[in-house]
PDB file of all heavy atoms in Angstrom:
ATOM      1  N   ARG U 203      45.988   2.426 -28.865  1.00 98.00           N
ATOM      2  CA  ARG U 203      46.031   3.753 -28.270  1.00 98.00           C
ATOM      3  C   ARG U 203      45.874   4.796 -29.370  1.00 98.00           C
ATOM      4  O   ARG U 203      46.156   4.521 -30.536  1.00 98.00           O
ATOM      5  CB  ARG U 203      47.362   4.001 -27.547  1.00 98.00           C
ATOM      6  CG  ARG U 203      47.618   3.090 -26.351  1.00 98.00           C
ATOM      7  CD  ARG U 203      46.736   3.476 -25.181  1.00 98.00           C
ATOM      8  NE  ARG U 203      47.054   2.728 -23.974  1.00 98.00           N
ATOM      9  CZ  ARG U 203      46.545   1.533 -23.663  1.00 98.00           C
ATOM     10  NH1 ARG U 203      45.695   0.954 -24.493  1.00 98.00           N
ATOM     11  NH2 ARG U 203      46.873   0.936 -22.540  1.00 98.00           N
ATOM     12  N   ILE U 204      45.476   6.019 -28.995  1.00 98.00           N
ATOM     13  CA  ILE U 204      45.333   7.119 -29.953  1.00 98.00           C
ATOM     14  C   ILE U 204      46.591   7.992 -29.966  1.00 98.00           C
ATOM     15  O   ILE U 204      47.242   8.167 -28.940  1.00 98.00           O
ATOM     16  CB  ILE U 204      44.092   7.987 -29.625  1.00 98.00           C
ATOM     17  CG1 ILE U 204      44.177   8.582 -28.206  1.00 98.00           C
ATOM     18  CG2 ILE U 204      42.812   7.161 -29.753  1.00 98.00           C
ATOM     19  CD1 ILE U 204      42.965   9.411 -27.785  1.00 98.00           C
ATOM     20  N   TYR U 205      46.962   8.457 -31.151  1.00 98.00           N
ATOM     21  CA  TYR U 205      48.010   9.483 -31.220  1.00 98.00           C
ATOM     22  C   TYR U 205      47.629  10.605 -32.186  1.00 98.00           C
ATOM     23  O   TYR U 205      48.196  11.686 -32.128  1.00 98.00           O
ATOM     24  CB  TYR U 205      49.377   8.886 -31.609  1.00 98.00           C
ATOM     25  CG  TYR U 205      49.475   8.460 -33.058  1.00 98.00           C
ATOM     26  CD1 TYR U 205      49.910   9.360 -34.049  1.00 98.00           C
ATOM     27  CD2 TYR U 205      49.119   7.183 -33.450  1.00 98.00           C
ATOM     28  CE1 TYR U 205      49.976   8.978 -35.389  1.00 98.00           C
ATOM     29  CE2 TYR U 205      49.187   6.783 -34.779  1.00 98.00           C
ATOM     30  CZ  TYR U 205      49.616   7.688 -35.739  1.00 98.00           C
ATOM     31  OH  TYR U 205      49.677   7.305 -37.061  1.00 98.00           O
ATOM     32  N   GLY U 206      46.671  10.384 -33.076  1.00 98.00           N
ATOM     33  CA  GLY U 206      46.283  11.413 -34.041  1.00 98.00           C
ATOM     34  C   GLY U 206      45.684  12.627 -33.338  1.00 98.00           C
ATOM     35  O   GLY U 206      44.874  12.493 -32.425  1.00 98.00           O
ATOM     36  N   SER U 207      46.086  13.813 -33.809  1.00 98.00           N
ATOM     37  CA  SER U 207      45.691  15.050 -33.127  1.00 98.00           C
ATOM     38  C   SER U 207      44.190  15.308 -33.203  1.00 98.00           C
ATOM     39  O   SER U 207      43.622  15.896 -32.286  1.00 98.00           O
ATOM     40  CB  SER U 207      46.434  16.211 -33.746  1.00 98.00           C
ATOM     41  OG  SER U 207      46.196  16.188 -35.133  1.00 98.00           O
ATOM     42  N   GLY U 208      43.555  14.874 -34.284  1.00 96.00           N
ATOM     43  CA  GLY U 208      42.112  15.072 -34.394  1.00 96.00           C
ATOM     44  C   GLY U 208      41.352  14.251 -33.367  1.00 96.00           C
ATOM     45  O   GLY U 208      40.238  14.602 -32.978  1.00 96.00           O
ATOM     46  N   ILE U 209      41.972  13.145 -32.926  1.00 97.00           N
ATOM     47  CA  ILE U 209      41.341  12.340 -31.881  1.00 97.00           C
ATOM     48  C   ILE U 209      41.685  12.882 -30.505  1.00 97.00           C
ATOM     49  O   ILE U 209      40.786  13.118 -29.695  1.00 97.00           O
ATOM     50  CB  ILE U 209      41.767  10.852 -31.959  1.00 97.00           C
ATOM     51  CG1 ILE U 209      41.658  10.311 -33.383  1.00 97.00           C
ATOM     52  CG2 ILE U 209      40.905  10.016 -31.016  1.00 97.00           C
ATOM     53  CD1 ILE U 209      42.134   8.863 -33.523  1.00 97.00           C
ATOM     54  N   VAL U 210      42.969  13.093 -30.224  1.00 98.00           N
ATOM     55  CA  VAL U 210      43.346  13.482 -28.855  1.00 98.00           C
ATOM     56  C   VAL U 210      42.812  14.855 -28.467  1.00 98.00           C
ATOM     57  O   VAL U 210      42.720  15.161 -27.283  1.00 98.00           O
ATOM     58  CB  VAL U 210      44.870  13.425 -28.600  1.00 98.00           C
ATOM     59  CG1 VAL U 210      45.410  12.035 -28.797  1.00 98.00           C
ATOM     60  CG2 VAL U 210      45.624  14.424 -29.438  1.00 98.00           C
ATOM     61  N   SER U 211      42.425  15.678 -29.456  1.00 97.00           N
ATOM     62  CA  SER U 211      41.861  16.983 -29.109  1.00 97.00           C
ATOM     63  C   SER U 211      40.329  16.961 -29.103  1.00 97.00           C
ATOM     64  O   SER U 211      39.702  18.004 -28.936  1.00 97.00           O
ATOM     65  CB  SER U 211      42.367  18.061 -30.086  1.00 97.00           C
ATOM     66  OG  SER U 211      41.909  17.805 -31.403  1.00 97.00           O
ATOM     67  N   SER U 212      39.723  15.780 -29.269  1.00 96.00           N
ATOM     68  CA  SER U 212      38.261  15.672 -29.292  1.00 96.00           C
ATOM     69  C   SER U 212      37.772  14.704 -28.220  1.00 96.00           C
ATOM     70  O   SER U 212      38.177  13.531 -28.200  1.00 96.00           O
ATOM     71  CB  SER U 212      37.812  15.164 -30.675  1.00 96.00           C
ATOM     72  OG  SER U 212      36.523  14.558 -30.603  1.00 96.00           O
ATOM     73  N   SER U 213      36.911  15.174 -27.343  1.00 96.00           N
ATOM     74  CA  SER U 213      36.455  14.291 -26.258  1.00 96.00           C
ATOM     75  C   SER U 213      35.608  13.150 -26.817  1.00 96.00           C
ATOM     76  O   SER U 213      35.774  11.996 -26.425  1.00 96.00           O
ATOM     77  CB  SER U 213      35.667  15.079 -25.211  1.00 96.00           C
ATOM     78  OG  SER U 213      34.541  15.684 -25.791  1.00 96.00           O
ATOM     79  N   GLY U 214      34.738  13.456 -27.756  1.00 96.00           N
ATOM     80  CA  GLY U 214      33.892  12.408 -28.317  1.00 96.00           C
ATOM     81  C   GLY U 214      34.696  11.360 -29.073  1.00 96.00           C
ATOM     82  O   GLY U 214      34.527  10.151 -28.885  1.00 96.00           O
ATOM     83  N   GLU U 215      35.617  11.813 -29.915  1.00 96.00           N
ATOM     84  CA  GLU U 215      36.339  10.854 -30.755  1.00 96.00           C
ATOM     85  C   GLU U 215      37.403  10.092 -29.966  1.00 96.00           C
ATOM     86  O   GLU U 215      37.756   8.972 -30.333  1.00 96.00           O
ATOM     87  CB  GLU U 215      36.941  11.547 -31.992  1.00 96.00           C
ATOM     88  CG  GLU U 215      37.300  10.538 -33.076  1.00 96.00           C
ATOM     89  CD  GLU U 215      37.046  11.002 -34.502  1.00 96.00           C
ATOM     90  OE1 GLU U 215      36.652  12.168 -34.690  1.00 96.00           O
ATOM     91  OE2 GLU U 215      37.234  10.187 -35.434  1.00 96.00           O
ATOM     92  N   SER U 216      37.907  10.660 -28.857  1.00 97.00           N
ATOM     93  CA  SER U 216      38.861   9.926 -28.014  1.00 97.00           C
ATOM     94  C   SER U 216      38.248   8.623 -27.518  1.00 97.00           C
ATOM     95  O   SER U 216      38.922   7.602 -27.402  1.00 97.00           O
ATOM     96  CB  SER U 216      39.278  10.763 -26.795  1.00 97.00           C
ATOM     97  OG  SER U 216      40.083  11.853 -27.176  1.00 97.00           O
ATOM     98  N   VAL U 217      36.968   8.665 -27.209  1.00 98.00           N
ATOM     99  CA  VAL U 217      36.274   7.468 -26.733  1.00 98.00           C
ATOM    100  C   VAL U 217      35.844   6.609 -27.926  1.00 98.00           C
ATOM    101  O   VAL U 217      36.059   5.404 -27.957  1.00 98.00           O
ATOM    102  CB  VAL U 217      35.060   7.872 -25.866  1.00 98.00           C
ATOM    103  CG1 VAL U 217      34.255   6.647 -25.460  1.00 98.00           C
ATOM    104  CG2 VAL U 217      35.537   8.655 -24.638  1.00 98.00           C
ATOM    105  N   HIS U 218      35.256   7.265 -28.916  1.00 97.00           N
ATOM    106  CA  HIS U 218      34.725   6.554 -30.081  1.00 97.00           C
ATOM    107  C   HIS U 218      35.804   5.732 -30.791  1.00 97.00           C
ATOM    108  O   HIS U 218      35.583   4.565 -31.144  1.00 97.00           O
ATOM    109  CB  HIS U 218      34.120   7.563 -31.052  1.00 97.00           C
ATOM    110  CG  HIS U 218      33.539   6.965 -32.284  1.00 97.00           C
ATOM    111  ND1 HIS U 218      32.244   6.518 -32.351  1.00 97.00           N
ATOM    112  CD2 HIS U 218      34.085   6.736 -33.503  1.00 97.00           C
ATOM    113  CE1 HIS U 218      32.016   6.029 -33.552  1.00 97.00           C
ATOM    114  NE2 HIS U 218      33.111   6.154 -34.272  1.00 97.00           N
ATOM    115  N   ALA U 219      36.970   6.349 -30.988  1.00 98.00           N
ATOM    116  CA  ALA U 219      38.015   5.708 -31.797  1.00 98.00           C
ATOM    117  C   ALA U 219      38.467   4.382 -31.191  1.00 98.00           C
ATOM    118  O   ALA U 219      38.847   3.463 -31.907  1.00 98.00           O
ATOM    119  CB  ALA U 219      39.214   6.647 -31.942  1.00 98.00           C
ATOM    120  N   LEU U 220      38.419   4.293 -29.859  1.00 98.00           N
ATOM    121  CA  LEU U 220      38.910   3.085 -29.184  1.00 98.00           C
ATOM    122  C   LEU U 220      37.800   2.172 -28.696  1.00 98.00           C
ATOM    123  O   LEU U 220      37.955   0.956 -28.677  1.00 98.00           O
ATOM    124  CB  LEU U 220      39.772   3.481 -27.971  1.00 98.00           C
ATOM    125  CG  LEU U 220      41.069   4.215 -28.287  1.00 98.00           C
ATOM    126  CD1 LEU U 220      41.730   4.687 -26.995  1.00 98.00           C
ATOM    127  CD2 LEU U 220      42.022   3.308 -29.067  1.00 98.00           C
ATOM    128  N   GLU U 221      36.686   2.747 -28.257  1.00 98.00           N
ATOM    129  CA  GLU U 221      35.701   1.956 -27.524  1.00 98.00           C
ATOM    130  C   GLU U 221      34.415   1.668 -28.274  1.00 98.00           C
ATOM    131  O   GLU U 221      33.660   0.772 -27.885  1.00 98.00           O
ATOM    132  CB  GLU U 221      35.404   2.646 -26.182  1.00 98.00           C
ATOM    133  CG  GLU U 221      36.574   2.469 -25.220  1.00 98.00           C
ATOM    134  CD  GLU U 221      36.785   3.662 -24.287  1.00 98.00           C
ATOM    135  OE1 GLU U 221      35.895   3.926 -23.461  1.00 98.00           O
ATOM    136  OE2 GLU U 221      37.833   4.331 -24.384  1.00 98.00           O
ATOM    137  N   SER U 222      34.141   2.395 -29.342  1.00 98.00           N
ATOM    138  CA  SER U 222      32.905   2.134 -30.078  1.00 98.00           C
ATOM    139  C   SER U 222      33.059   0.889 -30.959  1.00 98.00           C
ATOM    140  O   SER U 222      34.136   0.608 -31.488  1.00 98.00           O
ATOM    141  CB  SER U 222      32.576   3.339 -30.964  1.00 98.00           C
ATOM    142  OG  SER U 222      31.539   2.995 -31.863  1.00 98.00           O
ATOM    143  N   ASP U 223      31.955   0.151 -31.139  1.00 98.00           N
ATOM    144  CA  ASP U 223      31.942  -0.988 -32.062  1.00 98.00           C
ATOM    145  C   ASP U 223      31.816  -0.539 -33.512  1.00 98.00           C
ATOM    146  O   ASP U 223      32.065  -1.316 -34.428  1.00 98.00           O
ATOM    147  CB  ASP U 223      30.745  -1.907 -31.751  1.00 98.00           C
ATOM    148  CG  ASP U 223      31.037  -2.831 -30.583  1.00 98.00           C
ATOM    149  OD1 ASP U 223      32.242  -3.029 -30.293  1.00 98.00           O
ATOM    150  OD2 ASP U 223      30.082  -3.328 -29.975  1.00 98.00           O
ATOM    151  N   ALA U 224      31.399   0.715 -33.725  1.00 97.00           N
ATOM    152  CA  ALA U 224      31.037   1.143 -35.077  1.00 97.00           C
ATOM    153  C   ALA U 224      32.203   1.161 -36.069  1.00 97.00           C
ATOM    154  O   ALA U 224      32.073   0.676 -37.190  1.00 97.00           O
ATOM    155  CB  ALA U 224      30.363   2.510 -35.020  1.00 97.00           C
ATOM    156  N   PRO U 225      33.364   1.744 -35.727  1.00 98.00           N
ATOM    157  CA  PRO U 225      34.404   1.910 -36.762  1.00 98.00           C
ATOM    158  C   PRO U 225      35.267   0.669 -36.974  1.00 98.00           C
ATOM    159  O   PRO U 225      35.427  -0.160 -36.069  1.00 98.00           O
ATOM    160  CB  PRO U 225      35.253   3.054 -36.202  1.00 98.00           C
ATOM    161  CG  PRO U 225      35.133   2.940 -34.724  1.00 98.00           C
ATOM    162  CD  PRO U 225      33.742   2.431 -34.467  1.00 98.00           C
ATOM    163  N   ASN U 226      35.835   0.579 -38.174  1.00 98.00           N
ATOM    164  CA  ASN U 226      36.872  -0.419 -38.443  1.00 98.00           C
ATOM    165  C   ASN U 226      38.187   0.028 -37.823  1.00 98.00           C
ATOM    166  O   ASN U 226      38.506   1.224 -37.821  1.00 98.00           O
ATOM    167  CB  ASN U 226      37.110  -0.550 -39.947  1.00 98.00           C
ATOM    168  CG  ASN U 226      35.863  -0.896 -40.715  1.00 98.00           C
ATOM    169  OD1 ASN U 226      35.129  -1.790 -40.324  1.00 98.00           O
ATOM    170  ND2 ASN U 226      35.626  -0.188 -41.818  1.00 98.00           N
TER     171      ASN U 226
END
Side-chain angles (χ1 to χ4, degrees):
R203 296 287 186 273
I204 59 182
Y205 72 90
S207 54
I209 312 177
V210 299
S211 64
S212 157
S213 60
E215 198 143 4
S216 290
V217 175
H218 180 87
L220 295 173
E221 287 146 65
S222 169
D223 279 340
N226 303 313

